[in-house]
Amino acid sequence: MKKFLLILLLLFSLCSLIIFSIDLYFYLVNRYCRFHIGRWGNDNEWINAVEKVCVKWTKRTPTVKITDNSKLIAIDMINGKYRSKTIQSWQIGGILLGLQESNDRVSREAVNKLINSLIKDDGNWRVNPTNVDCGLLSYAVLKNSKDYKKIKPAMDFSISLIEKNICKDGMVAYLTDKSIDERYIDTLGFVCPFLQLYSNLYGEEKFSKISLEQINKYNKYGLLYDTYLPNHAYNPKNKLPLGVYGWGRGVAWYVIGLIDTYIEMKDSDEKFILKQNIKNVADSYINYQREDGGFGSILQNERTYDSSATAVLAYFYSQCYEIFGDKKYLEISNKCLQKLKSVTRITGKVDWCQGDTKGIGVHSQTFDIMPFAQGFTLRAALINLERE
């Protein structure tokens, strides 16, 4: 009996040591990761460092935690409350979209290897996605693929997943349970550009209409009156807001939905209307840029900051300059990039990205690295670099 109790005590001690060692590891990483943050020479040095990190992360993408908990992390891992495949899919998508802008041989090889790890030789996904979040990854894969016809089975699967989530009001539900009366701003960024590109490449006009319907209805029901600040979500029955207006990454999802959908559209009256929508949004958000060039985790609160929102808006304003030719948009984009440069660790990792939300209006208090933001930082930086 004593021997059994001793063994039990030893096992308990070993488990406790492992659990607290994991906590200590993350504590030390978070404690010292910002040593010499933002100390970069010229922009090229910084961009190269950001790109090398993106290439590295194509092999093993860091986890974006689904919890803010910093204690007993091992238990969260065991219980499946630490990592989500759904969230990881749009992290990889962001990296692919960033590397797409690079002409570097190593970057192109990394992109091809990553796509081969995602898509089988027969054109199907190696692991089928389960949520509409896959739209961003599908868009990135389709943009980067050498042969869009070959990967059509995987793209068809993603489209079928999105179609299953279309509700009676015509909006794509973020959650698989369509009976839940919530229409999220996230969905615009996830599905609209993909639906538009799929429509163009595979000749399916109806998906272009579905894409525009998402944007038009969110403009009607999801924006704060007399502004272009989107709410986190809205209720499709009573058309009332759910959550917070101006959430930084919610704004990012909104402008991704606008700008990348516009880029993929063929010339039409609808594209002209969307162009005006984009200009109105761009001119409105100028008022929310902080003096240091960043944008807030709540856009209208300049005391807050989020690198994921800032990275996407750097890309958004870069493309606005391309569309409208107004230098003020390029200046805004470059100011965003200078702020992102100032919060980039000596390892090349962009810091101060808000963690994953826990629900409508329940936003993370953790600010750390995020592959999605890393990719969009590179995306904006490389586009602007070409213009110099």
Side-chain angles (χ1 to χ4, degrees):
M1 185 65 178
K2 287 183 178 180
K3 188 176 181 181
F4 173 76
L5 289 173
L6 182 61
I7 292 172
L8 197 64
L9 180 62
L10 286 171
L11 287 173
F12 176 77
S13 299
L14 181 61
C15 289
S16 298
L17 180 62
I18 292 171
I19 289 171
F20 288 110
S21 294
I22 291 173
D23 285 355
L24 178 62
Y25 167 76
F26 282 105
Y27 169 77
L28 292 174
V29 168
N30 291 330
R31 179 75 172 78
Y32 296 106
C33 65
R34 290 173 178 141
F35 181 71
H36 283 323
I37 192 170
R39 297 189 184 184
W40 296 94
N42 57 51
D43 288 348
N44 284 334
E45 178 192 7
W46 170 64
I47 294 170
N48 288 336
V50 170
E51 185 169 358
K52 285 179 181 178
V53 171
C54 285
V55 169
K56 180 182 178 181
W57 284 352
T58 60
K59 300 172 184 176
R60 186 174 180 181
T61 310
T63 295
V64 174
K65 298 190 303 177
I66 57 175
T67 174
D68 277 0
N69 186 26
S70 60
K71 303 287 177 62
L72 305 179
I73 295 172
I75 295 175
D76 282 339
M77 291 177 174
I78 293 168
N79 292 331
K81 295 180 180 179
Y82 184 80
R83 177 186 175 94
S84 167
K85 289 182 180 178
T86 296
I87 295 170
Q88 289 303 116
S89 73
W90 50 269
Q91 304 304 321
I92 299 169
I95 291 173
L96 277 173
L97 289 172
L99 290 172
Q100 178 202 342
E101 302 298 334
S102 176
N103 294 319
D104 180 72
R105 179 183 59 81
V106 174
S107 294
R108 297 313 308 164
E109 287 177 357
V111 167
N112 293 334
K113 286 180 181 178
L114 178 54
I115 292 176
N116 288 336
S117 74
L118 295 169
I119 308 287
K120 295 189 290 187
D121 290 340
D122 63 3
N124 285 291
W125 292 108
R126 292 188 185 277
V127 179
N128 285 331
T130 57
N131 295 77
V132 297
D133 302 57
C134 74
L136 184 74
L137 177 59
S138 302
Y139 176 65
V141 169
L142 195 52
K143 291 277 283 184
N144 277 282
S145 179
K146 294 179 179 178
D147 186 352
Y148 68 89
K149 293 180 181 178
K150 183 179 179 180
I151 64 169
K152 191 172 186 294
M155 300 300 102
D156 286 347
F157 186 89
S158 298
I159 283 289
S160 69
L161 195 61
I162 293 170
E163 279 192 291
K164 288 176 184 176
N165 276 40
I166 297 177
C167 303
K168 292 180 180 178
D169 62 342
M171 294 294 283
V172 176
Y174 177 65
L175 303 174
T176 53
D177 185 356
K178 294 193 291 185
S179 65
I180 298 177
D181 294 321
E182 297 165 356
R183 301 291 178 264
Y184 288 80
I185 189 62
D186 312 48
T187 312
L188 269 65
F190 290 142
V191 308
C192 293
F194 173 56
L195 289 171
Q196 198 65 235
L197 181 59
Y198 182 95
S199 172
N200 290 347
L201 292 179
Y202 300 118
E204 295 280 356
E205 182 61 29
K206 70 174 182 177
F207 295 113
S208 173
K209 293 178 180 178
I210 293 171
S211 173
L212 293 174
E213 185 173 10
Q214 309 306 302
I215 295 170
N216 292 336
K217 284 196 173 173
Y218 219 97
N219 281 343
K220 187 174 182 179
Y221 301 120
L223 304 183
L224 181 63
Y225 176 74
D226 209 25
T227 78
Y228 289 92
L229 293 173
N231 204 292
H232 192 162
Y234 75 88
N235 185 309
K237 286 187 175 178
N238 55 34
K239 309 300 187 293
L240 292 176
L242 300 169
V244 178
Y245 285 108
W247 167 48
R249 199 157 58 250
V251 168
W253 293 131
Y254 179 56
V255 298
I256 289 171
L258 294 178
I259 201 74
D260 280 344
T261 298
Y262 176 86
I263 289 169
E264 304 304 340
M265 284 182 72
K266 297 175 182 176
D267 289 338
S268 62
D269 291 341
E270 289 80 6
K271 184 169 185 176
F272 178 79
I273 293 170
L274 183 56
K275 181 179 180 179
Q276 187 58 52
N277 186 183
I278 289 169
K279 190 174 191 314
N280 292 340
V281 168
D283 290 342
S284 172
Y285 291 171
I286 290 174
N287 300 316
Y288 305 122
Q289 188 172 34
R290 293 159 34 121
E291 287 188 11
D292 62 6
F295 283 89
S297 56
I298 300 295
L299 220 67
Q300 62 271 32
N301 185 350
E302 293 184 12
R303 289 174 296 176
T304 66
Y305 172 72
D306 172 28
S307 286
S308 67
T310 302
V312 172
L313 284 163
Y315 167 71
F316 173 71
Y317 277 107
S318 175
Q319 295 293 33
C320 284
Y321 172 69
E322 186 73 22
I323 295 167
F324 302 107
D326 192 330
K327 282 196 173 181
K328 71 179 179 183
Y329 298 134
L330 184 59
E331 290 169 3
I332 293 166
S333 179
N334 282 326
K335 281 183 67 178
C336 288
L337 290 171
Q338 289 306 308
K339 173 59 181 177
L340 291 164
K341 179 181 174 183
S342 76
V343 295
T344 301
R345 302 175 185 177
I346 58 173
T347 56
K349 300 172 184 176
V350 177
D351 206 336
W352 294 107
C353 304
Q354 187 175 38
D356 187 53
T357 56
K358 314 299 177 263
I360 294 177
V362 185
H363 302 295
S364 176
Q365 299 304 304
T366 298
F367 289 80
D368 205 333
I369 60 171
M370 176 176 278
F372 167 79
Q374 188 85 16
F376 266 84
T377 299
L378 182 64
R379 196 180 188 191
L382 289 177
I383 290 172
N384 285 5
L385 191 64
E386 287 184 2
R387 297 193 176 114
E388 292 181 358

